[in-house]
Amino acid sequence: MQFFGRIGLLSIAISIGSFAANAEVGTSYPKHRGDSPLSYDAIDIPGGDFNVTDYRPYTLDEYMYYDSYAYQIDVAIPNNRYVGDLAEAVANGALSENVRIFIPAYDVDANTVPTGDCDWDGVADTLYPEHNEVYLNGELLGVLDGDDGLWKFNSEFVVPIEKLRFPTHPGDTAINRVQVAIDVKNKNAVLSSGRVGCRVWATSIDWIGIKFDAADSFLFMTGLGGSTDSFENSGYPEYLRRELGINSKIVGHNTANGTLGCSNGELQSVRAHAENFILEAKKQAQLIGSADFHAIGHSMGGLDGRMALNMLTAGKYTAQVGTMDGQPISHELTIKSLLSHGSPHEGTVVADYFGTRGVSEVVADICDLETQTWELANQFLVSGGTPIATIGADADSNGDLYVDINEVEGNQIPAEFKGVDTLQHANFLYRLIYENESVEWGTELATVHGIPMLVPVVVYEPSTPNPNDTMVSVRSANGVPNAVSETSLQGKNHGTILDTESQSQALHIGKSTLGWGAK
Ligand SMILES: [Ca+2]
Ligand SMILES: [Ca+2]
Ligand SMILES: [Ca+2]
Ligand SMILES: [Ca+2]
């Protein structure tokens, strides 16, 4: 028996993996300027949770004595890393309790007691070692350490995170002010003549860095139809915020329509969703000042997520996450993990069935959910080592091969719709998946007007029992090659696979295998 649909599958290997053409330059930030032997990128890449200033004419990289100004160094350092509620984030471990401030300083004569007659009156004055005070947002943190003629990497300034200013809304920028007052003690020294101030010491500062650690936030990927409703009504984002202190963003999309056509195996609509997702992820990265995310996909969203991982493996995608001394900082967009809820990783016979009825020609999304598409896609779709965890479910909680009114509660196909009893439809789909491996157009030899010829017929390939959530089988939902975790829930349908019980399972999986909440 031959299957018409398989011809198109050859194209999948070509279309997957052809994204390198979209490659952008990777992480970029201003180059270090200055004389200290240690650049800031020895600490971390600037941007996100590392705010740096390196280039300020007449301020940084200048050998400076005290003068009439209160502070010889006075810099405003932007912080655009949005972490939501600060206290909530710290309490849940999503944000470090402390901030560390780095200041490489040259020629801080902290250990030399000078002698001299600064006011020329013949009487030796009481003078002091170099005492350079460091302030954050007007509050004294301590003094710079160092020695004569040497660069000293000052990294001892550790302050509670509450002292640092954070943006209160995504897209906002907070300003933190770091000030250094040079040779304060000699500036205020009372000399033998009664005069005040003796110009003794000078110092030079190369750059100032403010470092904290924040956990990566979540991007929710919506299922078939792209509506954000399912996540918005699930309480899922709120649950993760309460439990982990981490904010999230729901990414929706349009339904890919028939203009994409249905060429089995090309994954045109999955790719269109993934491209849209990457675009939205870049926007979110710019708004929150971080290009690292964990992705959570429902239904088709999980497939879009795998395509996005494939695209990120094939080429670099970057997002501007902030600025440093007025220059842009770009980070590589990184999806740290993917968790899918009820995603048909091996396709679904529901799509096959509708495919044989012409629906795939109208809705390209259906086309990309067919089983034969994923038979081959799973061989080519690589995730670049990103951990993927999957959750599937069997809606038939009592195993009587019938989904009753309770078992379809919260499902996309409810027991009743506008006064019509639709329970039979849910049961039709449950049995369709339960009993069949695939539904495809095939051919059979028939005699037409006395002439033997191949005629198209719909072929049901029977399956071993295939428990499912009325849309996706447990096996398909857990069908990602090399998943780090596979979970099968009992008594959850395609809608309730996002419910509170499922969410607490997800949280456990996310924390134990996907690095959720890690800073
Ligand atoms: Ca004197
Ligand atoms: Ca000095
Ligand atoms: Ca510098
Ligand atoms: Ca049942």
Side-chain angles (χ1 to χ4, degrees):
M1 189 173 290
Q2 268 188 322
F3 294 103
F4 293 146
R6 297 203 183 272
I7 299 162
L9 289 183
L10 291 175
S11 59
I12 197 168
I14 301 161
S15 57
I16 295 175
S18 65
F19 303 108
N22 298 337
E24 302 171 11
V25 289
T27 297
S28 67
Y29 50 88
K31 270 180 80 137
H32 174 220
R33 299 195 231 186
D35 294 331
S36 87
L38 202 61
S39 168
Y40 37 82
D41 54 10
I43 304 302
D44 201 354
I45 302 298
D49 50 18
F50 189 39
N51 301 318
V52 184
T53 180
D54 175 49
Y55 179 69
R56 303 278 170 132
Y58 311 110
T59 301
L60 297 178
D61 308 305
E62 288 280 329
Y63 193 60
M64 294 197 293
Y65 292 86
Y66 81 75
D67 52 22
S68 57
Y69 301 114
Y71 304 103
Q72 285 66 56
I73 305 227
D74 188 348
V75 289
I77 305 176
N79 176 20
N80 68 326
R81 181 72 173 97
Y82 175 72
V83 294
D85 186 286
L86 208 61
E88 195 172 47
V90 174
N92 287 291
L95 186 61
S96 55
E97 289 176 16
N98 293 312
V99 178
R100 191 175 279 267
I101 296 173
F102 298 95
I103 308 178
Y106 175 68
D107 189 37
V108 179
D109 299 79
N111 305 305
T112 310
V113 182
T115 53
D117 178 11
C118 205
D119 49 5
W120 303 96
D121 65 353
V123 182
D125 300 308
T126 305
L127 299 172
Y128 304 92
E130 186 166 351
H131 186 88
N132 302 336
E133 293 177 345
V134 178
Y135 295 80
L136 172 67
N137 295 325
E139 209 170 302
L140 180 64
L141 299 185
V143 295
L144 290 175
D145 193 17
D147 231 320
D148 182 30
L150 297 176
W151 278 100
K152 163 84 182 179
F153 189 67
N154 282 264
S155 60
E156 306 309 310
F157 304 108
V158 178
V159 290
I161 195 111
E162 295 77 25
K163 304 284 183 192
L164 201 68
R165 291 180 185 139
F166 280 85
T168 48
H169 299 94
D172 287 356
T173 299
I175 296 295
N176 289 289
R177 202 161 182 187
V178 175
Q179 296 157 311
V180 181
I182 294 172
D183 202 14
V184 178
K185 284 195 172 169
N186 289 316
K187 182 186 181 184
N188 298 323
V190 180
L191 309 179
S192 50
S193 66
R195 225 185 73 195
V196 174
C198 179
R199 200 171 184 265
V200 182
W201 306 118
T203 200
S204 174
I205 286 169
D206 184 346
W207 52 268
I208 298 170
I210 302 174
K211 177 86 182 96
F212 54 91
D213 292 298
D216 304 320
S217 71
F218 295 99
L219 291 174
F220 285 97
M221 305 182 74
T222 50
L224 186 63
S227 163
T228 56
D229 294 2
S230 60
F231 280 120
E232 277 162 6
N233 298 329
S234 68
Y236 205 154
E238 295 77 10
Y239 175 68
L240 293 183
R241 209 200 63 225
R242 276 198 313 275
E243 294 291 325
L244 296 170
I246 299 173
N247 59 80
S248 55
K249 157 97 181 162
I250 303 169
V251 180
H253 58 77
N254 297 322
T255 305
N257 58 33
T259 57
L260 287 179
C262 180
S263 196
N264 265 138
E266 289 193 4
L267 293 176
Q268 292 194 74
S269 78
V270 166
R271 182 167 46 175
H273 298 162
E275 280 168 354
N276 172 72
F277 170 74
I278 285 176
L279 211 66
E280 293 298 318
K282 289 171 68 153
K283 283 186 206 162
Q284 183 68 359
Q286 190 159 3
L287 285 176
I288 67 170
S290 170
D292 296 338
F293 298 98
H294 293 286
I296 299 171
H298 178 219
S299 191
M300 192 175 189
L303 306 182
D304 302 339
R306 285 178 64 196
M307 180 59 91
L309 291 181
N310 186 263
M311 291 166 70
L312 294 171
T313 303
K316 286 178 167 52
Y317 290 79
T318 54
Q320 186 183 331
V321 295
T323 59
M324 174 177 154
D325 300 326
Q327 301 298 307
I329 297 173
S330 291
H331 286 188
E332 221 170 285
L333 186 66
T334 307
I335 304 301
K336 294 284 196 67
S337 75
L338 172 66
L339 173 67
S340 73
H341 290 259
S343 300
H345 296 290
E346 293 178 354
T348 172
V349 289
V350 173
D352 290 1
Y353 175 79
F354 286 113
T356 60
R357 303 192 150 218
V359 177
S360 300
E361 305 302 325
V362 185
V363 185
D365 282 357
I366 298 288
C367 174
D368 280 2
L369 298 173
E370 293 181 7
T371 55
Q372 54 177 341
T373 294
W374 288 89
E375 216 175 286
L376 201 69
N378 281 320
Q379 297 170 37
F380 291 97
L381 214 51
V382 295
S383 57
T386 305
I388 302 176
T390 56
I391 297 177
D394 181 4
D396 180 18
S397 59
N398 58 0
D400 63 356
L401 299 188
Y402 179 80
V403 286
D404 61 31
I405 193 159
N406 297 315
E407 289 166 335
V408 297
E409 202 185 334
N411 202 12
Q412 280 76 3
I413 300 176
E416 180 251 283
F417 184 69
K418 293 186 177 172
V420 178
D421 177 7
T422 48
L423 196 56
Q424 52 171 320
H425 298 300
N427 274 288
F428 171 76
L429 295 179
Y430 189 85
R431 291 300 284 256
L432 182 73
I433 302 168
Y434 192 86
E435 291 165 0
N436 297 291
E437 195 74 12
S438 65
V439 182
E440 291 171 12
W441 278 109
T443 56
E444 71 180 15
L445 195 62
T447 304
V448 182
H449 301 304
I451 304 161
M453 58 166 60
L454 291 169
V455 295
V457 289
V458 174
V459 179
Y460 288 78
E461 192 188 332
S463 170
T464 52
N466 238 345
N468 61 83
D469 65 8
T470 75
M471 288 292 192
V472 178
S473 71
V474 174
R475 201 189 69 198
S476 181
N478 286 320
V480 174
N482 305 319
V484 294
S485 159
E486 294 175 3
T487 304
S488 174
L489 301 175
Q490 198 61 32
K492 301 292 170 195
N493 59 51
H494 199 61
T496 53
I497 202 159
L498 291 178
D499 73 1
T500 52
E501 260 179 87
S502 310
Q503 288 165 26
S504 88
Q505 279 277 355
L507 180 68
H508 172 72
I509 295 164
K511 280 164 76 170
S512 57
T513 68
L514 300 177
W516 287 9
K519 294 193 289 286

